[in-house]
């Protein structure tokens, strides 16, 4: 359940922003979250000076 907390938080924030008719802000939050998720998925892992 702990791994779902950030996802549920962002989803709740987007739903609230949409309900408040702040859809451009909701879209910006959604796209920023998507970009962050993609970046953490494709970024190279950092390795020490001696990878084995």
């Amino acid at each position: 359940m702990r791994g779902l907390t950030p996802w549920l938080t962002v989803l709740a924030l987007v739903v609230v922003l949409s309900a408040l008719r702040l859809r451009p802000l909701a879209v910006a939050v959604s796209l920023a979250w998507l970009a962050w998720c993609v970046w953490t998925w494709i970024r190279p892992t950092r390795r020490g000076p001696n990878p084995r």
Side-chain angles (χ1 to χ4, degrees):
M1 185 66 179
R2 181 177 259 175
L4 289 178
T5 304
W7 291 90
L8 294 176
T9 303
V10 170
L11 179 62
L13 179 63
V14 168
V15 168
V16 167
L17 289 172
S18 258
L20 293 174
R21 300 194 186 276
L22 297 173
R23 286 188 180 95
L25 188 55
V27 169
V29 169
S30 298
L31 291 176
W33 178 250
L34 178 64
W36 184 83
C37 290
V38 168
W39 170 249
T40 59
W41 184 56
I42 64 170
R43 76 172 180 215
T45 56
R46 296 181 184 193
R47 298 180 186 230
N50 261 339
R52 293 183 188 203

